[in-house]
Each structure stands twice: as C-alpha cells, then as structure tokens.
Amino acid sequence: MSQHFRTLVLLRHAKSDYPAGVDDHSRPLAPRGRREAPLAGRWLGAEVPTIDAVLCSTAVRTRQTLARTGLDLPGAAVRYVERLYNATAGTVIAEINSVAETVATLLVVGHEPAISQVTLGLAGPGGSDRAAVQRVAAKFPTSGIAVLRVPCRWDHLELGGAALTRFHVPR
C-alpha cells in the first residue's frame, strides 16, 4: 500500500459553549456548534466518503462534534485519545504516526492551535493548494476541515510531507 496516497482529514471541533462552573475539558457544544457539526458531516460524507479510522480528543466538545456529524463509520476504528486534548502539534503528529498502515483515510478531531499548526506543518510546498494554506494561516475556525494527501505510510509522515488539497468551513 505504500505506493498509494492516504488521506488525512483534520477537523476542528464545532463551536463550544462556556457554561459557568464547567471546566474546559467538559465544555459542551454551543447552539451554533450543534447546527454546524452536521454541516461538517454532510460535507465530509460527500467529499471524503470512506473514513477508516478516527482519532478524537476526549474533550466533551470534540466527542459531541464527532457524534453530531452523523458520519456513517461502519468498521472504522474510533479511538478517543486523551493526549489530543491540549496537545502540541508534535503530539498530534505522533498520534497520526501510530495509526495502522492499513488505514487509507484518517479523521482527526481536535483543537486549536494544534489543528492549524499540524495542517500548516504537514502541508509541503509541492502540491499544496496555496489559497487553502493562506486561509488556514489566517484562521482555522470552529468546524473547519483540512484535507491532506499523504504519499507515505503514517509512521513515515513528517513535517512538509503532505499536500493540503482542500480547506472547508461549513456554515
């Protein structure tokens, strides 16, 4: 499979709420987030129809985002990873590097600033959509979705080793 491209999808959680007395990890989605997560799911279903594995932060808002996308994930391995909450870009890439070689399309549901840093860090100059790179650099809004083409095994993915092909913000 090393001759085939893989697809990496990075999804920032939908808009979260800030209820009084609730710690950051436990913050739920805001009404806008509950509306936008299904829009992200519909776009993903149309643009990335098969997802083989999911890495999702354990934060309430990321888990709710994934659930509300309504994505049909039959047979997909969904892993909730504590390290993705409040992660650095290096930690996110390390988690991606641990994904099984057989996974062709990986979805990562996480947080800022790591999601935009990973997107920009992986997006090599050859093959990346420049306009998409500029949009990510300007802002990676809630529910934003980056799609990267990965020409190597997950455990070989490193900075500059992918191409950002699409960036979408469902509204």
Side-chain angles (χ1 to χ4, degrees):
M1 182 160 190
S2 63
Q3 298 301 316
H4 295 86
F5 286 105
R6 289 173 170 75
T7 301
L8 173 61
V9 180
L10 300 171
L11 170 63
R12 182 180 177 195
H13 64 78
K15 180 70 176 168
S16 59
D17 207 350
Y18 293 86
V22 175
D23 69 275
D24 186 72
H25 191 273
S26 301
R27 287 180 23 232
L29 292 180
R32 187 176 104 196
R34 291 192 298 273
R35 285 190 309 273
E36 290 175 355
L39 297 175
R42 282 196 287 282
W43 188 87
L44 282 168
E47 298 294 321
V48 186
T50 302
I51 294 172
D52 303 308
V54 179
L55 298 176
C56 183
S57 161
T58 57
V60 169
R61 60 192 176 274
T62 52
R63 290 184 288 128
Q64 287 179 342
T65 297
L66 179 59
R68 292 188 70 86
T69 62
L71 289 170
D72 186 19
L73 300 169
V78 179
R79 214 169 23 124
Y80 297 95
V81 183
E82 181 69 34
R83 284 176 20 120
L84 291 178
Y85 171 72
N86 218 9
T88 64
T91 299
V92 175
I93 292 171
E95 288 297 327
I96 293 167
N97 290 154
S98 74
V99 170
E101 180 182 344
T102 56
V103 171
T105 302
L106 173 65
L107 170 63
V108 178
V109 186
H111 309 268
E112 272 297 283
I115 290 292
S116 63
Q117 291 170 349
V118 169
T119 301
L120 295 172
L122 292 177
S128 287
D129 178 315
R130 285 189 214 165
V133 170
Q134 290 173 344
R135 289 178 57 219
V136 169
K139 185 173 183 180
F140 202 119
T142 53
S143 301
I145 304 164
V147 180
L148 295 105
R149 188 177 65 239
V150 177
C152 61
R153 294 169 24 153
W154 298 114
D155 61 350
H156 292 165
L157 182 59
E158 57 188 30
L159 295 176
L164 177 61
T165 59
R166 287 173 282 179
F167 181 59
H168 178 72
V169 180
R171 296 283 190 252

